[in-house]
Amino acid sequence: MKTIKPQVVIESHVDGDYILKQIELAGRTAYKSEDKITPDSAKDFVKMIHDRGHLSVIEHQSVTVRIICDRGVSHEIVRHRLASYTQESTRYCNYTKGKFGSEITVIEPCFWAPDDEKYQVWKQTIEQIEVGYNKLIGLGATPQEARSVLPNSLKTEIVVTMNLREWRHFFTLRTSPAAHPQMREIAIPLLKEFQKLIPVVFDDINANNAE
């Protein structure tokens, strides 16, 4: 058994200035005010439509992110419907094979310290599950059959593409104190990266208050 921390990787090449210019170009179609575009007009224009709630315009731009998390968190992510997903498949991945290190990989729970008795119970349970999974494969079960014993803690990779409006919705929900701790473990640092890369669009979502 291998235990890892969750990770996020922004797969898209994100040029915030270019994104704002493309949003402005699309948005000015409504007003037929393309003649007012200048080299530095995009930021103010996007702020204006943002403040007026005209968020459909930011849907013209999207970002793709690779998220490494546990299966439980991924089940929550895919509930965001205006998105495209490609996810590591337990139907076809045989974790007894060498390319997976001949072991299952799980995400370490962020809510228990390693010296906590609850963590030790979790760890022992995962180890027993790994033994059972390997035994099923050894008895001739296919990966899609043996996966029935795999836990929510199992590591998965999911590639997510959302338009910027849906990313706003994602961050608003998933950085909230009401969100699952392991979801927030992913969403808060990812939001901060988006805020660094793309001006205006995510500025009003306060990740610091969410922590």
Side-chain angles (χ1 to χ4, degrees):
M1 180 187 85
K2 181 180 179 182
T3 304
I4 64 171
K5 299 282 190 182
Q7 302 172 49
V8 288
V9 179
I10 297 175
E11 298 279 343
S12 300
H13 171 68
V14 179
D15 182 330
D17 290 337
Y18 174 81
I19 285 174
L20 295 191
K21 289 179 185 298
Q22 292 302 109
I23 292 172
E24 180 187 25
L25 185 61
R28 285 194 181 277
T29 300
Y31 307 95
K32 294 312 298 173
S33 60
E34 292 93 339
D35 59 303
K36 295 185 178 180
I37 294 175
T38 68
D40 58 358
S41 61
K43 187 172 182 178
D44 287 340
F45 180 84
V46 174
K47 186 176 188 310
M48 180 270 292
I49 61 171
H50 176 277
D51 291 347
R52 293 184 180 182
H54 298 329
L55 298 180
S56 62
V57 183
I58 68 174
E59 294 175 12
H60 290 291
Q61 294 295 306
S62 63
V63 175
T64 298
V65 175
R66 180 181 301 271
I67 301 174
I68 301 173
C69 59
D70 76 12
R71 299 289 301 193
V73 170
S74 75
H75 294 336
E76 294 189 27
I77 291 172
V78 299
R79 294 184 66 190
H80 291 265
R81 296 175 183 174
L82 299 179
S84 297
Y85 302 104
T86 302
Q87 185 171 6
E88 179 179 337
S89 172
T90 53
R91 285 191 66 196
Y92 304 114
C93 293
N94 183 339
Y95 297 110
T96 68
K97 298 296 185 182
K99 68 179 178 180
F100 298 104
S102 303
E103 61 185 348
I104 66 171
T105 298
V106 293
I107 299 295
E108 183 175 75
C110 60
F111 33 79
W112 296 322
D115 59 353
D116 190 316
E117 185 177 1
K118 293 186 288 293
Y119 182 95
Q120 295 304 315
V121 171
W122 170 82
K123 183 173 182 290
Q124 291 164 13
T125 303
I126 297 297
E127 290 170 344
Q128 291 169 3
I129 287 172
E130 182 176 55
V131 170
Y133 177 85
N134 290 345
K135 187 170 183 178
L136 285 170
I137 295 292
L139 291 170
T142 63
Q144 70 177 359
E145 294 167 342
R147 75 172 183 176
S148 61
V149 302
L150 292 173
N152 265 354
S153 291
L154 185 74
K155 164 262 181 187
T156 189
E157 293 189 28
I158 183 167
V159 176
V160 180
T161 303
M162 297 183 187
N163 68 54
L164 298 190
R165 187 179 190 178
E166 187 62 15
W167 277 119
R168 278 185 52 85
H169 179 60
F170 175 87
F171 290 130
T172 300
L173 290 181
R174 303 307 184 180
T175 63
S176 163
H180 191 281
Q182 288 177 294
M183 177 65 80
R184 299 178 77 236
E185 188 180 21
I186 290 167
I188 290 173
L190 184 59
L191 169 60
K192 290 179 178 180
E193 285 302 306
F194 271 60
Q195 289 172 330
K196 289 177 187 175
L197 293 169
I198 306 172
V200 181
V201 175
F202 303 97
D203 288 355
D204 60 320
I205 305 174
N206 195 328
N208 290 321
N209 286 345
E211 290 180 304

